[in-house]
Short mmCIF file of all heavy atoms in Angstrom, two decimals:
data_model
loop_
_atom_site.label_atom_id
_atom_site.label_comp_id
_atom_site.label_asym_id
_atom_site.label_seq_id
_atom_site.Cartn_x
_atom_site.Cartn_y
_atom_site.Cartn_z
N VAL A 113 6.47 14.66 -7.79
CA VAL A 113 7.73 15.35 -8.09
C VAL A 113 8.47 14.69 -9.24
O VAL A 113 8.90 15.32 -10.19
CB VAL A 113 8.64 15.38 -6.86
CG1 VAL A 113 10.02 15.89 -7.20
CG2 VAL A 113 7.99 16.26 -5.77
N HIS A 117 5.77 16.27 -12.14
CA HIS A 117 6.58 17.49 -11.97
C HIS A 117 5.79 18.76 -12.19
O HIS A 117 5.73 19.57 -11.28
CB HIS A 117 7.78 17.36 -12.91
CG HIS A 117 8.83 18.43 -12.70
ND1 HIS A 117 9.47 18.55 -11.47
CD2 HIS A 117 9.28 19.41 -13.48
CE1 HIS A 117 10.32 19.58 -11.55
NE2 HIS A 117 10.24 20.12 -12.76
N THR A 119 2.65 21.04 -12.35
CA THR A 119 1.27 21.06 -11.83
C THR A 119 0.62 22.38 -12.15
O THR A 119 1.31 23.36 -12.50
CB THR A 119 1.27 20.86 -10.27
OG1 THR A 119 1.92 21.93 -9.62
CG2 THR A 119 1.93 19.57 -9.88
N VAL A 121 -1.56 25.20 -10.30
CA VAL A 121 -1.95 25.66 -8.95
C VAL A 121 -2.92 26.82 -9.09
O VAL A 121 -2.86 27.57 -10.10
CB VAL A 121 -0.77 26.09 -8.06
CG1 VAL A 121 0.16 24.89 -7.86
CG2 VAL A 121 0.01 27.27 -8.65
N THR A 123 -4.67 30.05 -6.89
CA THR A 123 -4.77 30.94 -5.73
C THR A 123 -5.99 31.85 -5.96
O THR A 123 -6.61 31.77 -6.97
CB THR A 123 -3.48 31.76 -5.55
OG1 THR A 123 -3.16 32.46 -6.77
CG2 THR A 123 -2.29 30.87 -5.16
N ALA A 134 1.17 27.50 -13.85
CA ALA A 134 1.88 26.23 -13.97
C ALA A 134 3.12 26.31 -13.09
O ALA A 134 3.94 27.27 -13.21
CB ALA A 134 2.30 25.97 -15.40
N ILE A 135 3.25 25.35 -12.14
CA ILE A 135 4.36 25.38 -11.17
C ILE A 135 5.00 24.02 -11.19
O ILE A 135 4.32 22.99 -11.12
CB ILE A 135 3.82 25.69 -9.76
CG1 ILE A 135 3.17 27.10 -9.70
CG2 ILE A 135 4.93 25.56 -8.71
CD1 ILE A 135 4.15 28.22 -9.90
N ASP A 136 6.31 23.99 -11.25
CA ASP A 136 7.10 22.73 -11.17
C ASP A 136 7.35 22.37 -9.68
O ASP A 136 7.88 23.17 -8.93
CB ASP A 136 8.42 22.87 -11.88
CG ASP A 136 8.28 23.05 -13.35
OD1 ASP A 136 7.25 22.67 -13.91
OD2 ASP A 136 9.23 23.60 -13.97
N MET A 137 6.94 21.17 -9.31
CA MET A 137 7.21 20.66 -7.98
C MET A 137 8.63 20.13 -8.00
O MET A 137 9.01 19.27 -8.78
CB MET A 137 6.22 19.54 -7.61
CG MET A 137 4.81 20.04 -7.45
SD MET A 137 4.71 21.26 -6.13
CE MET A 137 3.16 22.09 -6.55
N MET A 138 9.47 20.71 -7.12
CA MET A 138 10.91 20.47 -7.16
C MET A 138 11.42 19.35 -6.24
O MET A 138 12.37 18.69 -6.53
CB MET A 138 11.66 21.77 -6.84
CG MET A 138 11.28 22.92 -7.76
SD MET A 138 11.52 22.59 -9.51
CE MET A 138 13.30 22.58 -9.59
N ASP A 139 10.73 19.19 -5.07
CA ASP A 139 11.21 18.21 -4.13
C ASP A 139 10.03 17.86 -3.18
O ASP A 139 8.98 18.51 -3.23
CB ASP A 139 12.36 18.75 -3.30
CG ASP A 139 13.23 17.65 -2.71
OD1 ASP A 139 12.97 16.46 -2.89
OD2 ASP A 139 14.24 18.02 -2.04
N CYS A 140 10.23 16.86 -2.34
CA CYS A 140 9.26 16.50 -1.35
C CYS A 140 9.94 15.84 -0.17
O CYS A 140 11.10 15.46 -0.23
CB CYS A 140 8.23 15.57 -1.96
SG CYS A 140 8.89 13.96 -2.45
N SER A 144 5.21 16.83 2.56
CA SER A 144 5.16 18.14 1.91
C SER A 144 5.77 18.12 0.53
O SER A 144 6.64 17.34 0.22
CB SER A 144 5.98 19.18 2.71
OG SER A 144 5.50 19.27 4.05
N LEU A 145 5.25 19.03 -0.32
CA LEU A 145 5.81 19.29 -1.64
C LEU A 145 6.53 20.61 -1.57
O LEU A 145 6.10 21.51 -0.88
CB LEU A 145 4.71 19.34 -2.71
CG LEU A 145 3.98 18.06 -3.11
CD1 LEU A 145 2.80 18.35 -3.93
CD2 LEU A 145 4.96 17.13 -3.83
N TYR A 146 7.60 20.76 -2.40
CA TYR A 146 8.35 21.99 -2.41
C TYR A 146 8.45 22.50 -3.87
O TYR A 146 8.69 21.74 -4.79
CB TYR A 146 9.76 21.81 -1.86
CG TYR A 146 9.75 21.41 -0.41
CD1 TYR A 146 9.71 20.07 -0.03
CD2 TYR A 146 9.66 22.38 0.58
CE1 TYR A 146 9.67 19.67 1.29
CE2 TYR A 146 9.56 21.99 1.92
CZ TYR A 146 9.59 20.64 2.27
OH TYR A 146 9.51 20.28 3.58
N PHE A 147 8.25 23.84 -4.02
CA PHE A 147 8.37 24.49 -5.34
C PHE A 147 9.04 25.82 -5.13
O PHE A 147 9.19 26.29 -4.02
CB PHE A 147 6.98 24.65 -5.95
CG PHE A 147 5.97 25.38 -5.09
CD1 PHE A 147 5.90 26.76 -5.16
CD2 PHE A 147 5.13 24.69 -4.25
CE1 PHE A 147 4.98 27.44 -4.40
CE2 PHE A 147 4.20 25.35 -3.46
CZ PHE A 147 4.10 26.72 -3.53
N LEU A 148 9.38 26.47 -6.26
CA LEU A 148 10.07 27.73 -6.23
C LEU A 148 9.18 28.82 -6.80
O LEU A 148 8.42 28.60 -7.76
CB LEU A 148 11.34 27.67 -7.07
CG LEU A 148 12.39 26.66 -6.62
CD1 LEU A 148 13.49 26.57 -7.63
CD2 LEU A 148 12.92 26.95 -5.26
N THR A 149 9.26 29.99 -6.24
CA THR A 149 8.65 31.21 -6.81
C THR A 149 9.56 32.37 -6.37
O THR A 149 10.54 32.16 -5.70
CB THR A 149 7.21 31.38 -6.39
OG1 THR A 149 6.66 32.48 -7.12
CG2 THR A 149 7.06 31.61 -4.90
N ALA A 150 9.23 33.55 -6.73
CA ALA A 150 10.10 34.71 -6.40
C ALA A 150 9.21 35.82 -5.81
O ALA A 150 8.09 36.04 -6.21
CB ALA A 150 10.78 35.23 -7.66
N PHE A 155 1.95 35.41 -8.08
CA PHE A 155 1.71 34.15 -7.41
C PHE A 155 2.23 34.18 -5.97
O PHE A 155 1.56 33.79 -5.03
CB PHE A 155 2.35 33.00 -8.20
CG PHE A 155 2.33 31.65 -7.51
CD1 PHE A 155 1.10 31.03 -7.27
CD2 PHE A 155 3.46 31.06 -7.06
CE1 PHE A 155 1.08 29.81 -6.60
CE2 PHE A 155 3.45 29.85 -6.42
CZ PHE A 155 2.25 29.23 -6.20
N TYR A 156 3.46 34.65 -5.85
CA TYR A 156 4.06 34.82 -4.47
C TYR A 156 3.20 35.66 -3.58
O TYR A 156 2.86 35.29 -2.43
CB TYR A 156 5.49 35.38 -4.59
CG TYR A 156 6.14 35.61 -3.25
CD1 TYR A 156 6.82 34.59 -2.60
CD2 TYR A 156 6.03 36.87 -2.64
CE1 TYR A 156 7.41 34.85 -1.35
CE2 TYR A 156 6.60 37.09 -1.43
CZ TYR A 156 7.29 36.11 -0.77
OH TYR A 156 7.88 36.32 0.46
N LEU A 159 -0.06 33.94 -2.59
CA LEU A 159 0.23 32.84 -1.70
C LEU A 159 0.56 33.33 -0.29
O LEU A 159 0.03 32.81 0.70
CB LEU A 159 1.39 31.98 -2.25
CG LEU A 159 1.71 30.68 -1.48
CD1 LEU A 159 0.50 29.80 -1.46
CD2 LEU A 159 2.91 30.01 -2.16
N PHE A 164 -2.93 29.70 1.14
CA PHE A 164 -3.49 28.46 0.63
C PHE A 164 -3.36 28.43 -0.91
O PHE A 164 -3.38 29.46 -1.53
CB PHE A 164 -4.97 28.29 1.02
CG PHE A 164 -5.23 28.13 2.48
CD1 PHE A 164 -5.54 29.24 3.24
CD2 PHE A 164 -5.14 26.90 3.06
CE1 PHE A 164 -5.76 29.08 4.58
CE2 PHE A 164 -5.34 26.72 4.42
CZ PHE A 164 -5.66 27.84 5.20
N LEU A 165 -3.32 27.19 -1.40
CA LEU A 165 -3.44 27.02 -2.83
C LEU A 165 -4.09 25.65 -3.09
O LEU A 165 -4.12 24.82 -2.18
CB LEU A 165 -2.09 27.10 -3.56
CG LEU A 165 -1.00 26.05 -3.26
CD1 LEU A 165 -1.21 24.74 -3.93
CD2 LEU A 165 0.34 26.64 -3.71
N PHE A 167 -4.03 22.49 -6.07
CA PHE A 167 -3.26 22.13 -7.25
C PHE A 167 -3.77 20.85 -7.89
O PHE A 167 -4.45 20.06 -7.22
CB PHE A 167 -1.73 21.94 -6.89
CG PHE A 167 -1.37 20.66 -6.23
CD1 PHE A 167 -0.88 19.60 -7.00
CD2 PHE A 167 -1.47 20.50 -4.87
CE1 PHE A 167 -0.52 18.43 -6.39
CE2 PHE A 167 -1.09 19.34 -4.28
CZ PHE A 167 -0.66 18.28 -5.01
#
Side-chain angles (χ1 to χ4, degrees):
V113 170
H117 191 61
T119 63
V121 299
T123 54
I135 298 293
D136 293 338
M137 294 298 161
M138 304 304 289
D139 203 0
C140 65
S144 302
L145 289 168
Y146 297 92
F147 56 87
L148 302 173
T149 188
F155 173 67
Y156 175 88
L159 186 58
F164 293 95
L165 63 79
F167 79 97

